[in-house]
Amino acid sequence: MVLLSKINEDAITENLRKRYNDDYIFTYIGPVLISVNPFKQLPYFTDREVELYQGAAQYENPPHIFALADLMFRNMMIDSENQCVIISGESGAGKTVAAKFIMSYISKVSGGGAKVQRVKDIILQSNPLLEAFGNAKTVRNNNSSRFGKYVEIQFCGGGAPDGGKISNFLLEKSRVVSQNAGERNFHIYYQILEGASSEQRENLGVTTPDYYFYLNQSGTYTVDDVSDKKDFAETMEAMAVVGLSVEEQDSVLQIVASILHLGNISFREENNYASIESQDFLAFPSFLLGVQQEALCSKLTSRVMDSKWGGRSESIAVTLNTEQAAFTRDALSKALYGRLFDFLVQSVNRAMQKDHEELNIGVLDIYGFEIFQKNGFEQFCINFVNEKLQQIFIELTLKAEQEEYVQEGIQWTPIDYFNNKVVCDLIESKSPPGVMCVLDDVCATMHAKGEGADLTLLQKLQGQVGSDDHFSSWNQGFIIHHYAGKVSYDVSGFCERNRDVLFPDLIELMQSSEFSFIRSLFPENLEAEKRGRPSTVGSKIKKQANSLVQTLMRCTPHYVRCIKPNETKRAGDWEEKRVRHQVEYLGLRENIRVRRAGFSYRRVFNKFLQRYAILTRETWPVWRGGQRDGVLHLLRSVNMDQDQYQLGTSKVFIRAPESLFLLEEMRERKYNGFARVIQKAWRKHVAVRKYVQMRQEASDILLNKKERRRNSLNRNFVGDYLGLDQRPEIRTFIGRRERVEFADVVLKYDRRFRSVKRDLVLTPKYLYLIGREKVKQGPDKGQIQEVLKRKIEIQKIQSVSLSCLQDDLFVVHEEEYDSVLQSVFKTELLSLMVKRYNEKMGKKLPLKFNNLLEFKVKKGGWGPFTSGGSRQIQFSVGHGDEAVLKPSGKVLHVSIGPGLPKDSRPTRKDNRKSRYISPAHNAHNANNANNARPQHRTGAGAGAGAGAGDRRVSRGLSLRQSSMEQPSLPRLHGNRQSILSPQQPQDLTFMEVPETGAAGLQRRRSKEVRPEPGRGRPKPSPKPRPRTPQCRALWAYDAQDTDELSFNTDDVIEILSEDASGWWFGRLRGREGMFPGNYVEKI
């Protein structure tokens, strides 16, 4: 979008709308990826796209989240720096799905191996597991993250993911006990109710969702296009993959079910004190939690308080009223669920932890900015974290970039923008105290539950921060003018939820459980004396948010800005006002302005030199001079235009991405050239080793059986001596996919011992003999052409005969008739024939060595030499290294001088460092390598296999170990049903686009306040434009062809060129074309 002709919110929104309607949901603002939620499955997230974007430059393909993921991975490997991606946007804008695609892409393109694959499986399977326990349906999003997570994928130096870590933030525990109208509890509850087996349902006491008070308050039980039953199977599979045993999986489900049953315990008032309305509803939660029914009843309706008077202390049992009892029940439910969620995150981390960190890629998937009908303490914390993320984006993309230009001495005109640091300070500042500080002070002085503390909070806020432009109050709470709009917070319950106190009585109760798993979730030492103020949820989230910011600042950041196109959650719907509001508060206009005016790439001098040093001889391998001079030398050597770069004090800045691509392409070519040199050397090395082996094997065939020639003993084997790549006429006789192993010109002897040249070609299947003949008739009469004389199948060769002397003759015996051939490369040919025959027949090719050879001849026509029968070749010792042939009737006498002894071996030594390694040695090394690998499987693999087979047998195992008898599920009778009447109309005004508030006002001011043109200086006189020749039309002319100009009388035409033919070339009203020169006169 940096290339948009107009830069305003309307133009940006219109561009996004057009792309959205055409299913192009991604676009860029410089390095920032903009993603619009399509609310449907799109076809471009397959393996084909993974292959397309892997290793490609960012702008080489259409914008895509895979391009950003690939850029992160490559930058990590090239620069050895940690990377992170910050995914931000409203609730329902598609942040979680974007995080999944990034992790999936990195998993596919990174290294392999058994351990690595296990880590990949855990990282990917952690998504459905944590989504089941941490996501829920809200009115804004069917799969809303109700917690934040930062996933660190840890890599070894080679780029393979070998570990990981998940940090979780602020689980919305209040959702466990209450939900707004039209929303659901966490997904896992509905998954168990739909997907549990009959045995599990009986053991856990689960039934339909409307039976449970913790589920029936909102009246919503299903989500469109979601199968809770299918998701339950995926959740159970994910538990197995991350290494949870079957017993641990049972315990997890047991706790989830116990929370549902706890919610059905209701209270009635007796003499101003609370009592259990029906004892029947105590049975199942007591059974599932492994505690005594009487103990659970006591802890829910009374509390032991320590009282100190002077130096003495005593414990007092205080009976609770119905409101306090319900609060205690809900506190226990929230504590159980929160600790269970922490256990699951710790289990995932344990399964993929590594001893030391090397490199990592962090993916931040956190709850989005949200506004509901009633916004409580959780929405306040969620929106605060989003405010911090917006602050990071501003700091690193708008503020830091402009400050960097100033520090580096780059020419720059400042661009105004709204900095939301004032809102962050309003919330978290210590001096003057912000909202969280005031909240913690009020919580430190409150002693009991009630509305009094919340009213005190509201009064103190009005006194401490009431004068802030971004703060205002109303009768039930306060309003904060966030970067994304005004949000009204109801202070009811703020203090209690901030304290999040779990009383010691409840901890003692859980520590008395029969089940070790439940006891392990409550490890507190209650005997230790407590000192200092207990930590609050607000202080924890503030600490976590600042720690997260520090972690992100240590990485190289990348950004995905997600946009929600509508509130209907339907594909194709587009709400112009909503999208424009997001475009405005996300600061996309300012982002585009900074990117257009600035530089797309910057690098410190030494890293730039290190990456592109290979482009010139002077800089490779080391530049001997100043770093700035080296960078300048590089840029000039590639002829980059001077307006495309600037050198700062420590960094080089390159303006256009295309200029950077030029450098990358040249670097790639250099490396490709060097890679080819290395490949050539390696192939030569491998070929030499191969032929050394072949020479040794060939020598073994003739060892102690035949004398050797001096010149053939140590020569290299070439294979193709004909150059068949340049001989297509011979290739026509060979099969298209046959591999030629040997080709040479040989002499073939006929029945009269006359010699004729033949082209011999050996393939794995056949032995070809190709000759040449004159064409006797037809249009090619008299011309010489190739003719296939013989084609012998390898398996039909019966044997090969040779003499014991150093001659080059050999006989190939076949069933029909034999072939007598002579080749100086007979040893190479013979070794290949032996190898191929052995492959085809599974036995050795018979070789006969004798100085008297007999062979069959082909039957011919009439005459003394034309009949069939046999011929003989008699070998004798003569003089010299050349064979002397003397035919005598049916016998050919061959005499030749003595050669090298029969026991001669190749004597040429190869001086290369590496040596040919025998197959036996290779096998020995392979065995050693296999023995070095661990033979046992750990973690998810073994656990999943065992769990799958035993699951039906062992489900409910932990339940059967309980000393208590399993109770039956009580009937509801008059117990509380859904508190939401189906006919009650729901107020959805909060779904409308929020007011922009003070933040929007400041954004508008930054747009309206414009600098004085030219900074008040007078305009310089315009430079004279170069005058181009012109002519005036004497007559009108209508174009006769598409490359001609039409004009009227008196039109003035610019003359671009004149031709002697009388047709000139010119320009009129922006259009160029030919026109007749005799229709005009020059001015």
Side-chain angles (χ1 to χ4, degrees):
M1 287 201 290
V2 174
L3 302 178
L4 287 175
S5 57
K6 294 182 180 179
I7 310 175
N8 55 51
E9 279 78 8
D10 291 333
I12 296 169
T13 305
E14 179 63 15
N15 180 265
L16 292 173
R17 184 189 65 79
K18 289 179 178 178
R19 298 181 66 84
Y20 174 78
N21 289 338
D22 292 336
D23 285 342
Y24 296 122
I25 64 170
F26 298 118
T27 187
Y28 294 129
I29 298 178
V32 179
L33 181 72
I34 310 299
S35 171
V36 182
N37 190 348
F39 290 108
K40 65 179 179 180
Q41 295 290 333
L42 291 174
Y44 42 75
F45 296 97
T46 64
D47 290 342
R48 176 184 171 275
E49 279 72 32
V50 171
E51 186 177 340
L52 181 67
Y53 285 90
Q54 185 176 1
Q58 186 179 13
Y59 295 96
E60 191 174 319
N61 296 306
H64 201 290
I65 199 161
F66 286 171
L68 179 133
D70 188 73
L71 180 67
M72 282 198 300
F73 183 70
R74 281 190 291 129
N75 284 357
M76 180 192 71
M77 298 304 300
I78 292 169
D79 299 329
S80 297
E81 291 179 353
N82 295 336
Q83 310 286 311
C84 71
V85 57
I86 302 171
I87 307 173
S88 58
E90 289 187 2
S91 179
K95 299 182 297 298
T96 299
V97 176
K100 286 183 190 175
F101 281 132
I102 290 172
M103 290 189 280
S104 172
Y105 179 88
I106 292 172
S107 172
K108 288 177 180 177
V109 302
S110 52
K115 181 183 176 184
V116 168
Q117 188 57 46
R118 179 171 169 270
V119 170
K120 289 181 180 180
D121 292 340
I122 293 169
I123 291 171
L124 295 179
Q125 287 296 327
S126 68
N127 284 321
L129 176 61
L130 297 184
E131 279 186 24
F133 286 85
N135 287 27
K137 169 184 165 52
T138 68
V139 291
R140 292 187 177 275
N141 185 358
N142 288 343
N143 187 34
S144 178
S145 297
R146 309 317 299 164
F147 74 107
K149 72 173 183 285
Y150 182 61
V151 182
E152 290 181 75
I153 308 172
Q154 298 169 349
F155 297 83
C156 65
D162 58 352
K165 180 183 175 184
I166 296 177
S167 304
N168 61 303
F169 310 96
L170 187 68
L171 178 70
E172 188 189 28
K173 292 185 291 186
S174 63
R175 183 167 293 272
V176 174
V177 299
S178 66
Q179 308 88 41
N180 293 327
E183 300 188 351
R184 296 205 312 177
N185 208 319
F186 291 105
H187 293 325
I188 185 62
Y189 291 109
Y190 308 91
Q191 291 179 7
I192 289 179
L193 300 186
E194 287 294 323
S197 64
S198 56
E199 184 183 358
Q200 288 172 328
R201 298 176 72 86
E202 181 182 351
N203 288 335
L204 300 174
V206 295
T207 178
T208 57
D210 58 351
Y211 177 81
Y212 303 101
F213 177 67
Y214 281 168
L215 303 184
N216 65 24
Q217 298 174 63
S218 67
T220 302
Y221 307 116
T222 59
V223 180
D224 295 341
D225 302 323
V226 171
S227 169
D228 290 316
K229 185 175 182 179
K230 178 184 174 185
D231 289 348
F232 178 71
E234 292 180 0
T235 301
M236 299 308 296
E237 181 186 354
M239 283 196 208
V241 169
V242 302
L244 292 186
S245 65
V246 176
E247 290 76 16
E248 288 175 323
Q249 294 174 42
D250 288 335
S251 299
V252 169
L253 300 184
Q254 190 176 325
I255 290 177
V256 173
S258 71
I259 294 171
L260 287 178
H261 291 291
L262 275 174
N264 278 359
I265 299 174
S266 58
F267 306 93
R268 68 170 181 268
E269 190 171 321
E270 289 184 359
N271 300 322
N272 295 326
Y273 298 121
S275 64
I276 304 295
E277 192 168 358
S278 172
Q279 295 290 324
D280 294 342
F281 287 94
L282 282 171
F284 237 112
S286 301
F287 170 69
L288 293 174
L289 293 173
V291 298
Q292 293 299 317
Q293 189 169 325
E294 297 78 13
L296 178 60
C297 178
S298 172
K299 299 300 183 185
L300 292 180
T301 56
S302 65
R303 181 182 309 155
V304 175
M305 300 184 70
D306 292 332
S307 131
K308 290 187 178 181
W309 183 260
R312 301 175 58 186
S313 63
E314 59 178 328
S315 298
I316 303 172
V318 177
T319 308
L320 307 178
N321 59 31
T322 54
E323 185 184 5
Q324 292 169 332
F327 175 79
T328 303
R329 175 204 63 199
D330 292 347
L332 176 59
S333 300
K334 291 189 289 185
L336 280 167
Y337 196 85
R339 296 183 185 216
L340 177 63
F341 188 80
D342 289 340
F343 163 78
L344 292 173
V345 174
Q346 291 164 10
S347 299
V348 174
N349 287 337
R350 273 198 306 270
M352 56 183 181
Q353 69 181 359
K354 58 184 289 190
D355 298 333
H356 62 285
E357 292 188 18
E358 294 176 72
L359 298 170
N360 70 68
I361 291 177
V363 181
L364 179 63
D365 173 23
I366 208 159
Y367 21 59
F369 186 90
E370 59 188 21
I371 305 174
F372 293 123
Q373 180 67 35
K374 180 181 178 181
N375 301 290
F377 178 70
E378 286 78 9
Q379 279 67 49
F380 175 71
C381 292
I382 287 171
N383 292 341
F384 162 65
V385 174
N386 276 272
E387 202 76 57
K388 293 290 287 185
L389 293 182
Q390 176 70 2
Q391 177 64 19
I392 292 179
F393 182 79
I394 289 172
E395 286 283 342
L396 298 181
T397 61
L398 299 176
K399 183 173 182 284
E401 183 164 347
Q402 297 194 69
E403 288 178 352
E404 184 180 39
Y405 294 145
V406 175
Q407 291 169 2
E408 291 286 329
I410 303 297
Q411 297 177 4
W412 180 254
T413 303
I415 293 173
D416 292 329
Y417 59 91
F418 168 64
N419 191 337
N420 72 326
K421 188 176 186 302
V422 291
V423 184
C424 294
D425 290 342
L426 167 66
I427 297 173
E428 66 172 343
S429 175
K430 289 185 177 180
S431 179
V435 175
M436 283 188 168
C437 235
V438 175
L439 177 61
D440 286 348
D441 286 340
V442 173
C443 290
T445 57
M446 65 181 286
H447 301 290
K449 181 184 181 298
E451 291 76 21
D454 295 331
L455 292 175
T456 302
L457 169 66
L458 191 54
Q459 291 169 1
K460 286 199 170 185
L461 285 175
Q462 289 171 348
Q464 295 280 0
V465 297
S467 60
D468 194 294
D469 291 341
H470 294 81
F471 178 92
S472 54
S473 59
W474 58 297
N475 56 352
Q476 295 181 16
F478 59 92
I479 299 171
I480 289 185
H481 299 229
H482 287 283
Y483 76 100
K486 292 165 62 174
V487 181
S488 302
Y489 295 104
D490 190 332
V491 295
S492 175
F494 247 68
C495 294
E496 284 294 346
R497 290 177 178 177
N498 185 46
R499 287 177 69 196
D500 196 28
V501 176
L502 185 64
F503 295 107
D505 304 54
L506 299 178
I507 297 175
E508 284 180 357
L509 178 66
M510 292 299 100
Q511 290 178 343
S512 68
S513 171
E514 293 184 4
F515 303 120
S516 59
F517 182 85
I518 294 179
R519 293 197 301 271
S520 68
L521 297 180
F522 294 84
E524 289 92 341
N525 181 8
L526 296 178
E527 300 300 323
E529 185 178 358
K530 295 183 180 178
R531 298 191 179 187
R533 181 188 295 184
S535 61
T536 61
V537 173
S539 62
K540 287 178 185 175
I541 194 64
K542 185 165 69 171
K543 183 178 178 181
Q544 286 179 328
N546 288 318
S547 173
L548 174 64
V549 168
Q550 291 174 4
T551 301
L552 297 174
M553 289 291 194
R554 288 194 295 266
C555 304
T556 301
H558 304 262
Y559 306 93
V560 180
R561 307 289 264 173
C562 297
I563 290 178
K564 188 177 184 181
N566 60 64
E567 282 294 350
T568 62
K569 293 174 277 192
R570 288 199 301 261
D573 287 2
W574 181 266
E575 298 177 16
E576 189 84 11
K577 186 178 178 182
R578 178 168 302 280
V579 176
R580 192 185 186 285
H581 176 65
Q582 294 172 76
V583 167
E584 182 179 344
Y585 75 67
L586 289 174
L588 302 190
R589 181 183 68 91
E590 292 81 0
N591 200 199
I592 292 174
R593 289 181 63 199
V594 171
R595 295 307 303 183
R596 281 180 70 157
F599 297 83
S600 64
Y601 176 85
R602 74 285 318 269
R603 214 55 160 180
V604 292
F605 290 151
N606 63 332
K607 287 196 173 183
F608 185 85
L609 268 175
Q610 181 182 350
R611 180 155 183 80
Y612 300 110
I614 198 171
L615 297 182
T616 69
R617 290 180 180 273
E618 293 80 8
T619 53
W620 181 263
V622 177
W623 168 256
R624 304 186 185 281
Q627 293 179 350
R628 182 188 178 90
D629 295 336
V631 171
L632 197 58
H633 172 78
L634 271 173
L635 295 172
R636 287 173 177 170
S637 67
V638 299
N639 298 319
M640 186 178 291
D641 294 338
Q642 290 189 5
D643 62 346
Q644 284 298 308
Y645 66 87
Q646 281 194 47
L647 299 185
T649 56
S650 63
K651 294 182 180 181
V652 55
F653 294 80
I654 295 178
R655 189 176 299 280
E658 293 77 13
S659 301
L660 181 64
F661 299 157
L662 169 70
L663 288 171
E664 286 292 325
E665 186 178 348
M666 295 178 71
R667 179 178 179 271
E668 196 72 25
R669 286 178 185 171
K670 282 284 186 180
Y671 273 109
N672 285 344
F674 290 143
R676 288 191 179 96
V677 171
I678 296 171
Q679 286 175 344
K680 182 179 178 181
W682 172 250
R683 286 171 181 161
K684 181 180 179 181
H685 168 80
V686 171
V688 168
R689 300 277 70 75
K690 174 184 174 183
Y691 288 119
V692 166
Q693 176 191 2
M694 289 176 61
R695 192 167 63 228
Q696 187 66 43
E697 291 173 350
S699 176
D700 293 341
I701 292 172
L702 305 179
L703 186 66
N704 297 322
K705 296 174 182 176
K706 185 176 176 65
E707 294 178 0
R708 303 297 304 276
R709 284 184 175 275
R710 285 181 175 82
N711 294 333
S712 70
L713 192 65
N714 291 314
R715 72 172 187 82
N716 289 329
F717 288 177
V718 176
D720 181 9
Y721 296 93
L722 292 178
L724 290 183
D725 290 340
Q726 310 299 324
R727 304 283 295 277
E729 68 278 6
I730 297 178
R731 294 285 315 187
T732 56
F733 299 106
I734 304 166
R736 290 182 63 184
R737 300 195 176 184
E738 279 193 86
R739 184 180 73 254
V740 174
E741 297 197 328
F742 181 87
D744 186 31
V745 177
V746 300
L747 290 178
K748 187 255 180 189
Y749 292 91
D750 62 9
R751 66 182 65 240
R752 296 183 180 180
F753 304 115
R754 292 178 302 189
S755 64
V756 61
K757 287 184 179 182
R758 294 281 185 264
D759 292 332
L760 182 146
V761 179
L762 176 69
T763 70
K765 293 182 179 181
Y766 299 101
L767 180 70
Y768 298 89
L769 289 174
I770 300 166
R772 286 162 183 77
E773 291 181 354
K774 269 189 180 182
V775 179
K776 295 182 180 178
Q777 57 186 4
D780 297 330
K781 182 179 180 180
Q783 294 185 11
I784 303 295
Q785 71 175 12
E786 285 70 21
V787 179
L788 181 63
K789 290 295 187 179
R790 195 164 192 197
K791 181 180 179 181
I792 307 172
E793 289 187 50
I794 296 295
Q795 58 263 38
K796 289 187 177 180
I797 297 176
Q798 296 177 336
S799 63
V800 178
S801 298
L802 303 95
S803 75
C804 298
L805 305 180
Q806 65 161 329
D807 60 280
D808 295 323
L809 277 82
F810 59 96
V811 181
V812 179
H813 299 278
E814 203 250 351
E815 185 178 358
E816 189 178 352
Y817 63 95
D818 304 331
S819 295
V820 180
L821 306 171
Q822 183 178 1
S823 171
V824 293
F825 304 129
K826 65 184 181 305
T827 307
E828 181 179 353
L829 171 62
L830 191 63
S831 68
L832 291 168
M833 288 174 63
V834 168
K835 190 178 291 185
R836 297 296 160 246
Y837 185 87
N838 188 33
E839 289 174 357
K840 293 285 184 185
M841 304 298 291
K843 59 182 180 180
K844 292 184 177 180
L845 175 65
L847 300 177
K848 300 175 182 177
F849 296 90
N850 201 307
N851 285 341
L852 179 62
L853 304 182
E854 187 170 343
F855 62 94
K856 293 180 294 186
V857 295
K858 184 180 181 180
K859 292 182 180 180
W862 299 96
F865 291 100
T866 56
S867 61
S870 62
R871 303 287 186 270
Q872 290 182 334
I873 305 176
Q874 179 69 55
F875 295 87
S876 59
V877 178
H879 301 281
D881 292 334
E882 295 295 327
V884 178
L885 282 65
K886 291 183 180 180
S888 177
K890 294 187 177 183
V891 179
L892 175 65
H893 294 277
V894 180
S895 64
I896 192 169
L900 296 176
K902 295 179 181 179
D903 59 354
S904 299
R905 283 183 173 277
T907 58
R908 193 181 76 183
K909 293 183 179 180
D910 200 311
N911 294 324
R912 297 170 185 247
K913 291 182 180 179
S914 55
R915 291 280 183 266
Y916 162 69
I917 301 175
S918 68
H921 186 67
N922 275 333
H924 176 71
N925 284 348
N927 289 335
N928 287 345
N930 289 333
N931 292 337
R933 298 189 187 110
Q935 297 299 315
H936 61 280
R937 293 180 62 194
T938 60
D950 301 340
R951 188 165 290 155
R952 285 192 64 85
V953 179
S954 61
R955 275 283 170 242
L957 181 64
S958 58
L959 298 176
R960 295 189 186 115
Q961 292 175 348
S962 172
S963 61
M964 292 177 281
E965 184 179 348
Q966 180 172 334
S968 59
L969 202 63
R971 295 182 64 182
L972 279 176
H973 297 297
N975 200 48
R976 298 160 302 163
Q977 293 292 334
S978 171
I979 62 174
L980 181 72
S981 172
Q983 289 79 24
Q984 182 179 346
Q986 191 175 352
D987 184 7
L988 297 178
T989 54
F990 68 93
M991 300 284 281
E992 297 174 0
V993 177
E995 295 180 34
T996 56
L1001 182 62
Q1002 289 192 23
R1003 277 195 293 267
R1004 285 193 294 275
R1005 284 174 181 168
S1006 69
K1007 285 189 284 186
E1008 293 165 0
V1009 177
R1010 301 182 182 180
E1012 189 176 359
R1015 298 178 181 176
R1017 293 193 292 266
K1019 288 190 295 183
S1021 55
K1023 295 180 180 179
R1025 295 182 59 185
R1027 186 182 178 90
T1028 55
Q1030 295 178 328
C1031 59
R1032 179 180 287 105
L1034 300 175
W1035 299 280
Y1037 177 75
D1038 292 325
Q1040 306 298 311
D1041 209 340
T1042 56
D1043 62 345
E1044 295 180 9
L1045 284 178
S1046 295
F1047 50 84
N1048 297 317
T1049 306
D1050 293 331
D1051 280 349
V1052 176
I1053 306 169
E1054 289 184 60
I1055 303 172
L1056 300 180
S1057 64
E1058 300 178 35
D1059 193 82
S1061 64
W1063 285 89
W1064 296 356
F1065 190 72
R1067 183 190 296 116
L1068 176 63
R1069 290 185 283 273
R1071 189 173 181 276
E1072 297 180 357
M1074 307 291 291
F1075 63 94
N1078 58 342
Y1079 272 55
V1080 299
E1081 65 176 359
K1082 285 187 178 180
I1083 301 174

